[in-house]
Amino acid sequence: MLYGYAGKILKVNLSTQEKDIGDTPSELVENYLGGRGFVARLLYDLLEPGTDPLGPDNVVVVATGPLSGHLLPGSGKTHFGALSPATCGYGDSNMGGHFGPALKYAGFDCLILEGAADQLSTLVIDDDEIKIISAGSLQGKGAIDAEKELKEQLGEDFQVITIGPAGENRVAYACISHDFGRQAGRTGVAAVLGSKNIKAVAVRGTKAIPLYDPQAALKKGEEMYRVCFGKPGFKTWTPYGTASITGWANEVGAFPTRNFQTSYADFHHKINGQAIIDRLLVTDKGCFGCPTPCGKYGHAKTRVGSAFVEGPEYESIATLGGSCCLEEIEEVAYANYVCDQLGLDTISAGVVVSFAMECFEKGVISVADIGREISFGSLEDVVYLLEKIAAREGIGAILAGGVKPAAAAFGGGSERYAIHVKGLEWSGYECRNAPGMMLSYMTADVGAHHNRSWALGYDVSQSDADVSELIEAGAGGALEVSSPEGKVDHVISMQHSRPLYDALGICRLQTMEIGFETFHYEEVFELITGRRLTWQEMLAISERIWQLTRQFNVKHIAGFGRSWDYPPLRFMEEPVTTGPNKGRFLKKEILDQMLDEYYEKRGWDENGIPGAEVLARFGLKP
Amino acid sequence: MKFVVTINISGHLKDLYPHLEAQQTVELEQPVTVSGLIAARGISSKMVLFATIDDRIVDKQLLVEQSCTINLISPPAGG
């Protein structure tokens, strides 16, 4: 008996409509836990080198974790993965909401989608009844509208994921949408769903999950809620959510502004967490099992349009607000809503749009290319470009691939300020005075994503200078750039700890943000699964997953190695133009120094390729 | 006059300052500000997003009072 898991994996071949239900392999459970671990291992085994990310041979894996769907804090997480159309390497994305628990209650730890349907379709999983129905009426519909229509059609008790027009049109950074505002945003898994002609997946599950010690697990879960409610951070975290970091990111000079030309926006106080409360908020919104609802459901009225929208989260504020220079919270929220309906990742979309704005500002692209003038700060221009991208119309067809291919198409030196790593656009932290965070972005398996390691706090805490001193120092450079010393160990540690939550199927925010102790997870994991693992032993599994995803990229990306780990030239050669870190940048020599140390500690060669010894240690093959 | 305050640290502060207990009771020789207390514990003030007393966010220049409990909250790491 596999306690804590549903025990089955559902594989659907969309080309033949065949469904296969198999046992969840014990080897997979033992060595990869679930969620991100399942996604990484299954993708590694199922995909051959040379697979087209948008061809029928790619697969989409949806996985829950051993703690998903149980009565404990933050157990609503679901992990999605595929060969990424953004990077052509390992791609995954994590999402809150209620979908994962529903999939597990339907009896499945994991869903694997192969092949491609011959028409736009919805996969419906109603416990054991699995069918593929036409999604013809949903074609071209916004992701949120499509979810609403499907729930009306199938029933409110179905949990639904959808893609928007961007996914249907295979935009490289299309996102999966769920629960009217939760997204699996990164790495373009929704584009892969679009390539498989899957508009939506609807799940209703009513089964029980076997537990090793049900009464003790329930009691422990209740205790965990009580502990969360009593944490000092609980009452400040919940009202503001992730947006509370906006002011801080500016004060330490980490807020991407004007396509990362600078790291400080003098309008930040108009787009922060307090602005959301004052000008947008209707109600807080949480995921399955969440005691700390960080979602902010609000109403945004702008001259372009008005909408009810969940968000914006900090990342959307940073990329749509900071990088595109939308100076009012209503504008940021409305651009967020447009992305949500079109099914675009707000992080990549914001960076792509701001990249286009800078290209136009510098004369790299013209009115003839774009169809109109565009400028930083214009909501009309942001919406115009987002709609072009989702439809792949005009310049949108080029921008739909992301900043890396767009820079290759535009030329004119624009690759210097195409802000990405490995083809994935940078999320919301400017790093020219934050070497640890820079290394985090450089070495993340999916590309420039903060989710794997958030070392910015370490960088900031290691700097002796106060913010006021940094501002006074200005461009004179009287203060040294934050030292890279000691950063590598911290980054490696975080690259094991943060993704571990994605393997367990739980939200990391209760621990990372309000101080929930990890021993609670050790205890509840044992009561649920019957398996005793210390946190350190779980971290070792997370390290195995990390080695596997690196090896995945070696296997799938031609010529993969060190050159794929560098940030854009802007960060290595151009000083920050304003704010606390004015004048600073990280020279390539510093980055190479960190990479050398990082590779050595990882057991990789000087080109960043995992060595036979480290692969063998984790039971992996070259 | 000596007086006693309790300091709770949470979130990233626990990772960044592993030598500090999550809850500490400290004895002070004289009145200090919240900011002074943070510095005295060796914590970077830039890593304290909020300081709260009795669940209310307080200015870091506030003088701490006898027997109060101060919660130091680190910035969250994005969404």
Side-chain angles (χ1 to χ4, degrees):
Chain A
M1 173 68 78
L2 198 57
Y3 293 109
Y5 295 81
K8 300 288 181 188
I9 291 178
L10 169 63
K11 187 186 290 184
V12 179
N13 187 310
L14 299 162
S15 301
T16 63
Q17 301 212 354
E18 289 175 317
K19 296 110 186 173
D20 176 69
I21 297 174
D23 291 338
T24 302
S26 56
E27 182 274 338
L28 198 60
V29 168
E30 188 176 332
N31 293 318
Y32 296 93
L33 286 176
R36 166 175 153 84
F38 281 10
V39 165
R41 184 72 235 188
L42 290 167
L43 288 177
Y44 191 83
D45 291 342
L46 291 169
L47 295 174
E48 294 295 327
T51 300
D52 176 0
L54 297 175
D57 291 337
N58 197 358
V59 298
V60 171
V61 179
V62 185
T64 63
L67 301 186
S68 300
H70 297 295
L71 294 175
L72 55 100
S75 58
K77 288 287 192 171
T78 316
H79 215 71
F80 298 82
L83 182 66
S84 168
T87 67
C88 296
Y90 177 74
D92 74 13
S93 196
N94 195 266
M95 182 186 80
H98 305 259
F99 186 83
L103 183 65
K104 212 161 162 182
Y105 299 156
F108 305 110
D109 294 311
C110 204
L111 166 66
I112 300 171
L113 298 175
E114 300 176 327
D118 60 4
Q119 61 173 321
L120 195 65
S121 303
T122 296
L123 174 65
V124 181
I125 302 168
D126 190 1
D127 281 336
D128 295 327
E129 189 182 343
I130 299 150
K131 58 188 177 184
I132 300 168
I133 62 174
S134 170
S137 66
L138 300 177
Q139 188 160 18
K141 284 217 165 179
I144 294 171
D145 292 344
E147 180 178 359
K148 184 169 183 286
E149 188 167 320
L150 266 174
K151 284 178 88 87
E152 286 171 356
Q153 181 187 333
L154 298 170
E156 278 292 323
D157 49 352
F158 274 84
Q159 296 300 332
V160 178
I161 58 167
T162 58
I163 64 171
E168 291 180 50
N169 293 324
R170 307 175 190 190
V171 174
Y173 42 97
C175 71
I176 293 167
S177 179
H178 165 62
D179 198 27
F180 307 104
R182 291 279 151 184
Q183 285 84 21
R186 308 244 64 196
T187 74
V189 183
V192 182
L193 283 177
S195 74
K196 295 183 176 307
N197 265 328
I198 289 296
K199 176 73 177 179
V201 180
V203 179
R204 180 167 59 183
T206 62
K207 298 178 186 174
I209 302 167
L211 302 185
Y212 177 72
D213 188 339
Q215 292 305 319
L218 182 63
K219 193 174 172 187
K220 180 66 191 173
E222 288 172 351
E223 178 199 337
M224 291 168 78
Y225 280 104
R226 280 198 303 274
V227 171
C228 271
F229 290 136
K231 285 292 175 191
F234 174 72
K235 288 186 178 170
T236 51
W237 162 255
T238 301
Y240 295 100
T242 59
S244 64
I245 199 179
T246 307
W248 179 86
N250 278 276
E251 287 168 11
V252 302
F255 193 67
T257 306
R258 292 186 76 85
N259 194 37
F260 294 75
Q261 291 177 55
T262 188
S263 57
Y264 179 84
D266 55 13
F267 54 87
H268 69 81
H269 60 285
K270 294 196 286 182
I271 57 173
N272 62 11
Q274 190 61 51
I276 290 176
I277 291 173
D278 292 344
R279 287 149 59 183
L280 298 177
L281 186 64
V282 174
T283 185
D284 294 338
K285 184 165 171 261
C287 302
F288 177 94
C290 180
T292 53
C294 62
K296 304 295 151 198
Y297 198 72
H299 188 215
K301 290 181 185 173
T302 74
R303 62 188 178 280
V304 177
S306 66
F308 286 95
V309 57
E310 181 175 345
E313 299 261 2
Y314 169 75
E315 300 297 333
S316 307
I317 290 172
T319 54
L320 293 167
S323 201
C324 295
C325 294
L326 297 180
E327 296 190 10
E328 303 294 338
I329 194 65
E330 291 87 349
E331 295 179 333
V332 178
Y334 188 74
N336 190 151
Y337 166 78
V338 172
C339 286
D340 288 357
Q341 279 286 28
L342 295 173
L344 289 166
D345 170 30
T346 54
I347 296 173
S348 284
V351 175
V352 168
V353 167
S354 63
F355 169 73
M357 287 170 166
E358 185 169 355
C359 285
F360 180 71
E361 200 173 70
K362 287 185 159 59
V364 173
I365 54 176
S366 65
V367 169
D369 298 316
I370 305 166
R372 61 194 281 176
E373 292 187 358
I374 55 173
S375 63
F376 286 105
S378 165
L379 177 61
E380 288 86 347
D381 295 344
V382 171
V383 172
Y384 172 82
L385 288 172
L386 292 174
E387 289 175 345
K388 289 287 183 192
I389 290 165
R392 283 188 173 272
E393 286 177 359
I395 196 164
I398 298 172
L399 296 173
V403 295
K404 184 182 177 187
F410 295 161
S414 59
E415 74 280 358
R416 295 181 65 84
Y417 46 88
I419 310 299
H420 73 94
V421 174
K422 300 180 180 69
L424 187 74
E425 288 76 19
W426 208 275
S427 61
Y429 307 95
E430 210 286 340
C431 300
R432 275 175 280 185
N433 192 34
M437 193 68 214
M438 185 75 87
L439 184 67
S440 300
Y441 277 122
M442 292 163 64
T443 55
D445 49 10
V446 293
H449 190 34
H450 63 283
N451 169 285
R452 301 297 196 254
S453 162
W454 190 81
L456 182 61
Y458 188 73
D459 289 315
V460 170
S461 69
Q462 296 293 301
S463 170
D464 292 333
D466 199 352
V467 174
S468 58
E469 294 170 359
L470 290 168
I471 293 171
E472 284 170 17
L479 297 167
E480 294 297 322
V481 171
S482 183
S483 167
E485 194 175 341
K487 302 291 165 67
V488 170
D489 289 336
H490 190 74
V491 169
I492 288 175
S493 171
M494 291 196 100
Q495 287 175 337
H496 299 161
S497 61
R498 288 172 70 91
L500 175 55
Y501 296 87
D502 297 342
L504 290 169
I506 48 171
C507 181
R508 68 179 184 276
L509 297 181
Q510 279 81 30
T511 296
M512 297 285 177
E513 315 304 359
I514 71 168
F516 195 68
E517 295 84 357
T518 54
F519 73 81
H520 292 294
Y521 293 118
E522 294 175 0
E523 292 176 8
V524 81
F525 179 84
E526 183 176 357
L527 295 170
I528 286 173
T529 67
R531 183 182 180 194
R532 183 188 292 266
L533 281 179
T534 65
W535 193 251
Q536 285 303 316
E537 288 167 333
M538 293 187 199
L539 288 171
I541 292 175
S542 191
E543 183 175 3
R544 173 183 292 117
I545 300 167
W546 193 264
Q547 296 287 354
L548 180 70
T549 55
R550 184 72 177 189
Q551 189 61 18
F552 182 101
N553 284 336
V554 173
K555 178 179 169 185
H556 286 276
I557 300 175
F560 183 79
R562 189 182 190 103
S563 63
W564 291 78
D565 289 339
Y566 287 112
L569 288 172
R570 162 160 291 166
F571 292 165
M572 296 187 278
E573 296 180 356
E574 294 179 22
V576 175
T577 57
T578 61
N581 291 324
K582 184 177 178 180
R584 287 176 172 74
F585 60 95
L586 284 169
K587 291 179 182 174
K588 185 168 179 292
E589 296 92 299
I590 294 173
L591 304 187
D592 277 326
Q593 179 189 328
M594 288 196 295
L595 276 183
D596 288 343
E597 184 183 345
Y598 179 88
Y599 291 165
E600 185 183 349
K601 287 182 170 170
R602 280 286 185 204
W604 303 349
D605 69 15
E606 62 186 18
N607 193 32
I609 308 299
E613 190 276 329
V614 73
L615 290 177
R617 178 150 51 93
F618 289 103
L620 306 171
K621 293 176 182 173
Chain B
M1 185 185 85
K2 287 188 177 181
F3 60 107
V4 173
V5 297
T6 302
I7 306 168
N8 291 319
I9 64 168
S10 65
H12 298 281
L13 293 176
K14 287 167 69 175
D15 286 337
L16 296 172
Y17 303 100
H19 59 288
L20 297 178
E21 294 292 323
Q23 184 172 75
Q24 310 156 71
T25 300
V26 296
E27 194 175 81
L28 304 169
E29 293 289 341
Q30 56 190 10
V32 296
T33 61
V34 172
S35 191
L37 196 58
I38 291 169
R41 306 313 297 165
I43 296 171
S44 165
S45 66
K46 286 180 287 181
M47 283 310 296
V48 178
L49 182 66
F50 298 126
T52 69
I53 296 175
D54 294 333
D55 295 330
R56 289 194 306 183
I57 297 171
V58 297
D59 191 294
K60 289 180 192 168
Q61 297 312 310
L62 183 79
L63 282 172
V64 297
E65 295 177 356
Q66 164 74 4
S67 302
C68 75
T69 298
I70 302 172
N71 301 312
L72 305 181
I73 315 293
S74 60

